[in-house]
Amino acid sequence: MAFASVERLKTAAEKNPLVVKEAKEKGKKIVGLYCLYSPAEIALAAGAAPMVLCGTRNDSIATAEETLPRNLCPLIKSSYGFAVQGTCPYFSASDIIVADTTCDGKKKMFEYMSEIKPLHLLYLPHGPHLPEARVFWAAEMRRLVERLEKEFGVSIGEDDLAKAIALANRERAALKGLMDLSRQKPAPLSGMTMLELLFKSGFFADKEEIIDMLEEIVAEVSAAPQNGASEGPRVLLTGVPVGMGSHKVVKLIEDAGARVVAFENCTGYKKTLPVATDKPPLEALAERYLATPCSIMSPNTARFDLLDEMIRDFSADAVVDLTWQACHTYNVEAGKVRRFVQDKGLPYLQIETDYSEADTEQLKVRIEAFLEMMH
Amino acid sequence: MIVAGVDVGSTGAKAVVLDAATGGILGLAEAPTGFSPPKAGEEVLEAALAKAGFARGDVASVVGTGYGRVSLPFAARRVTEITCHARGARHLTPEARCVLDIGGQDSKLIALHADGSVKDFVMNDKCAAGTGRFIQNMAAVLGLDLDEFGAAAARGQPVSLSSMCAVFAETEIIGLTAQGARVDDLAAGILASVARRLKTLTGRVPLVPVLVFTGGLARNPDMTALIAQGLGVELHAPPEAPFAGALGAALIAAETAT
């Protein structure tokens, strides 16, 4: 079923590179972000536009491999390739890149990237349960505030941060509203449509604009009559971030007759955790961002809580765990996810792949056999 | 009523014609897949029908499987080789709880529920090590066909090989040959290394008796014995085991046709 509001977001997204360019010409500062650990609120509080940067396409990888090892995760290679080639309009428009020490591959790649653009590296602690980690991460938030104040010649007050948090929380609520549409049975939007919307929503310079569009989609789709069509097994996708260009597994799952109803990854539901508004802003930001249940954390118990909740809320019939090649933390953690999911009595499939089409035929066999297993 | 299953794999095409009512095998045929999967599928189906003494018009339903399954115009349904091998192996050995299939492109280990349905499975990743193609290539490096290779391996004392990559393994074998290693010992070493590689799959899908060995290599008793020895398990390889995929497809065809 086609929805006018869905088409509107897709069309608006096509104009984003131009909108960003125009905003920049009018003096708007752009802050480029790669990871969910980088706080967009601080960029907003500095009066800048936080932009998600490109890193989900295969065609920039060959260039990256001139510098980076071939046996490195495709997300890191793609991101760096886009930066070197100058083919990501949001990277080109960025005045500064905010990066973080999530995994070793990214951390070391950012050293090369800092030769191309001003880059601020946040030192992310990996023990989310330690009180010292929260204190340190809050200090890192402070260091980012000071860096942006200096770069952009602005002063960032507590009230600026509070306003930015409120705005970002509204965006999160809108994204959550969009994803929660798939709690319906059957899910009104395909997983591919959901993925495209989630992906494209990251490239809007104006938060109010994207919030409006997301809310409009939720309103229109919720009001539409249920089509009652059979949707096949409901799959929850967990693991690494996914976007357009790195969507092959989502497409293969849906081509094989299932539906991806939930994205438990940092391009999906992990985004929606709100920031507390009853605490000093930097403390609240530190707490919330440190709580992101990424596999680089040890132990990463929060991921299992989130999986548990989402399997229930989205009535998942099966879990597919996607890991990019050479993404050690997600690959190693997959063993625990397998145990967790199978103990709950759900079928589990781990797929380790990259952005290329090289293994499509084998993946088809694995995914189709996985779905046949459920009959 | 008769039904058929056609398994067009990366290396070989196989067909099984079945009496839908009794599950009895009426005809078997196989041929190399070659460059045209649909043509190979067509040929083996015709050949299996000829052996069974039936014509195309007599077939109530055909199910296709294997990498070439998408290109079979006569198939009413397409089912993956995972499901089909499980189904075929179980039919051949009713106590089967686990299936090891060494295919041309990939090896699979399939765990079965007590009722015979697929419980879990694991496939090797992109690398050729542990596949039928790897063994075929290594046999060619030694100048042997598959039967000669199996016989040589059975006579030899396994040489320790460290390389799993098809290209590096070839280099290693050439190096060892230059140092005077015996062909028999190299063949035994290659099969031992394949078994070691397969063993890594067993972390996720444990080897549970009764374990049925399917795929083309299962017809070679020497190779079956050596792989079983390497894995430290008993492997059941019934005579029709190489046809397990096509047989499973035919059994599914029988279900859907009735």
Side-chain angles (χ1 to χ4, degrees):
Chain A
M1 188 168 177
F3 295 100
S5 53
V6 168
E7 295 313 310
R8 194 176 143 226
L9 191 154
K10 289 185 192 172
T11 313
E14 285 166 22
K15 300 193 188 88
N16 282 340
L18 196 67
V19 173
V20 171
K21 190 168 165 274
E22 280 170 6
K24 198 174 163 62
E25 279 161 6
K26 286 185 193 140
K28 187 85 176 173
K29 298 293 181 190
I30 311 288
V31 175
L33 309 169
Y34 280 107
C35 189
L36 197 47
Y37 284 108
S38 299
E41 287 87 347
I42 295 179
L44 286 169
M51 299 299 304
V52 174
L53 301 176
C54 317
T56 58
R57 285 172 58 110
N58 196 48
D59 47 19
S60 64
I61 287 180
T63 306
E65 285 178 352
E66 291 170 16
T67 307
L68 300 172
R70 197 179 60 83
N71 179 25
L72 184 66
C73 121
L75 191 148
I76 301 175
K77 288 189 290 187
S78 177
S79 305
Y80 182 67
F82 266 115
V84 178
Q85 287 178 334
T87 42
C88 176
Y90 313 107
F91 185 90
S92 305
S94 292
D95 295 283
I96 187 169
I97 307 299
V98 176
D100 32 51
T101 56
T102 48
C103 68
D104 291 348
K106 273 192 184 174
K107 181 169 77 184
K108 298 306 284 183
M109 177 275 279
F110 287 135
E111 293 177 17
Y112 290 106
M113 193 179 270
S114 68
E115 294 168 6
I116 308 170
K117 277 269 181 196
L119 186 145
H120 183 86
L121 189 68
L122 295 164
Y123 288 86
L124 176 70
H126 291 182
H129 56 296
L130 298 172
E132 293 86 349
R134 220 173 303 165
V135 174
F136 180 82
W137 192 229
E140 281 296 276
M141 299 285 108
R142 163 71 56 200
R143 204 165 60 83
L144 177 61
V145 166
E146 286 163 5
R147 174 79 187 263
L148 294 189
E149 283 180 330
K150 192 170 151 246
E151 290 285 335
F152 300 156
V154 294
S155 144
I156 302 172
E158 293 237 326
D159 49 333
D160 298 317
L161 287 166
K163 264 188 235 162
I165 289 171
L167 179 61
N169 276 347
R170 279 176 52 219
E171 187 191 19
R172 289 186 184 104
L175 285 165
K176 184 172 185 297
L178 173 72
M179 284 184 263
D180 283 347
L181 288 171
S182 296
R183 292 187 185 202
Q184 290 176 45
K185 289 178 87 169
L189 299 175
S190 72
M192 274 306 293
T193 302
M194 186 62 80
L195 180 69
E196 192 179 347
L197 293 174
L198 290 172
F199 176 72
K200 291 190 168 161
S201 65
F203 301 112
F204 284 83
D206 181 353
K207 294 277 179 214
E208 294 289 353
E209 186 192 4
I210 184 63
I211 293 169
D212 279 352
M213 279 190 287
L214 290 170
E215 286 174 348
E216 195 192 16
I217 293 173
V218 174
E220 188 189 352
V221 176
S222 316
Q226 293 259 357
N227 56 16
S230 155
E231 60 180 347
R234 295 167 63 88
V235 172
L236 180 146
L237 186 78
T238 182
V240 294
V242 189
M244 299 310 289
S246 62
H247 61 272
K248 71 174 176 189
V249 169
V250 176
K251 178 135 197 327
L252 288 171
I253 291 170
E254 299 209 316
D255 285 351
R259 179 158 289 195
V260 180
V261 293
F263 294 86
E264 186 280 325
N265 54 31
C266 60
T267 41
Y269 225 62
K270 280 180 193 171
K271 271 186 179 175
T272 62
L273 182 66
V275 178
T277 50
D278 57 351
K279 288 181 184 162
L282 290 184
E283 233 172 81
L285 285 172
E287 197 174 300
R288 185 272 178 198
Y289 280 93
L290 201 58
T292 305
C294 175
S295 61
I296 51 120
M297 291 297 178
S298 185
N300 185 29
T301 50
R303 182 179 179 196
F304 298 92
D305 298 336
L306 182 60
L307 273 171
D308 193 45
E309 192 184 304
M310 288 184 73
I311 286 170
R312 190 185 56 235
D313 293 347
F314 287 86
S315 320
D317 299 315
V319 173
V320 174
D321 189 1
L322 177 62
T323 52
W324 297 134
Q325 274 164 21
C327 176
H328 300 319
T329 57
Y330 271 108
N331 268 332
V332 174
E333 201 167 276
K336 285 191 170 193
V337 179
R338 164 181 284 266
R339 241 185 291 159
F340 177 81
V341 172
Q342 289 183 339
D343 283 352
K344 291 180 77 68
L346 287 188
Y348 168 90
L349 179 70
Q350 190 209 355
I351 290 175
E352 185 190 350
T353 185
D354 60 9
Y355 292 180
S356 77
E357 297 292 322
D359 56 354
T360 304
E361 288 306 314
Q362 210 210 37
L363 289 182
K364 258 189 214 167
V365 174
R366 296 178 64 190
I367 290 166
E368 285 174 23
F370 180 64
L371 298 177
E372 285 166 4
M373 215 169 89
M374 283 186 265
H375 286 164
Chain B
M1 183 171 63
I2 64 157
V3 290
V6 179
D7 176 5
V8 180
S10 61
T11 311
K14 286 134 269 177
V16 169
V17 173
L18 212 63
D19 180 324
T22 66
I25 296 172
L26 303 173
L28 296 170
E30 64 180 319
T33 299
F35 298 109
S36 172
K39 197 165 152 250
E42 190 82 32
E43 274 171 23
V44 288
L45 177 59
E46 289 296 341
L49 280 168
K51 279 186 196 156
F54 285 97
R56 274 292 278 280
D58 303 325
V59 188
S61 177
V62 185
V63 167
T65 188
Y67 276 109
R69 68 188 179 284
V70 287
S71 63
L72 301 175
F74 47 77
R77 240 186 103 191
R78 291 161 184 93
V79 180
T80 65
E81 47 271 40
I82 309 270
T83 303
C84 290
H85 273 270
R87 200 60 211 283
R90 179 80 172 193
H91 187 76
L92 296 172
T93 309
E95 319 77 68
R97 289 302 293 269
C98 197
V99 180
L100 171 66
D101 169 45
I102 300 188
Q105 294 284 342
D106 32 45
S107 304
K108 309 152 193 94
L109 196 54
I110 308 162
L112 305 180
H113 283 292
D115 69 357
S117 61
V118 177
K119 183 182 169 195
D120 202 359
F121 66 90
V122 59
M123 263 168 108
N124 70 311
D125 340 279
K126 280 182 185 176
C127 172
T131 67
R133 184 59 57 96
F134 180 79
I135 294 171
Q136 216 172 25
N137 287 356
M138 293 308 121
V141 171
L142 297 178
L144 304 173
D145 68 27
L146 278 179
D147 284 338
E148 293 165 345
F149 179 84
R155 289 189 302 264
Q157 283 300 315
V159 170
S160 165
L161 291 169
S162 52
S163 201
M164 290 294 178
C165 162
V167 175
F168 290 149
E170 186 169 336
T171 319
E172 195 178 353
I173 288 164
I174 291 167
L176 288 165
T177 309
Q179 290 164 33
R182 294 171 55 226
V183 169
D184 293 358
D185 299 343
L186 285 169
I190 289 161
L191 281 186
S193 80
V194 166
R196 265 204 312 279
R197 180 73 185 182
L198 292 172
K199 191 116 193 173
T200 63
L201 297 179
T202 65
R204 276 173 256 177
V205 172
L207 296 171
V208 186
V210 170
L211 208 152
V212 178
F213 185 37
T214 64
L217 294 180
R219 79 176 82 242
N220 186 311
D222 290 328
M223 279 201 249
T224 304
L226 287 165
I227 288 168
Q229 201 187 332
L231 287 171
V233 292
E234 200 185 334
L235 283 179
H236 293 253
E240 301 89 351
F243 294 88
L247 174 60
L251 289 162
I252 293 167
E255 261 171 36
T256 39
T258 46

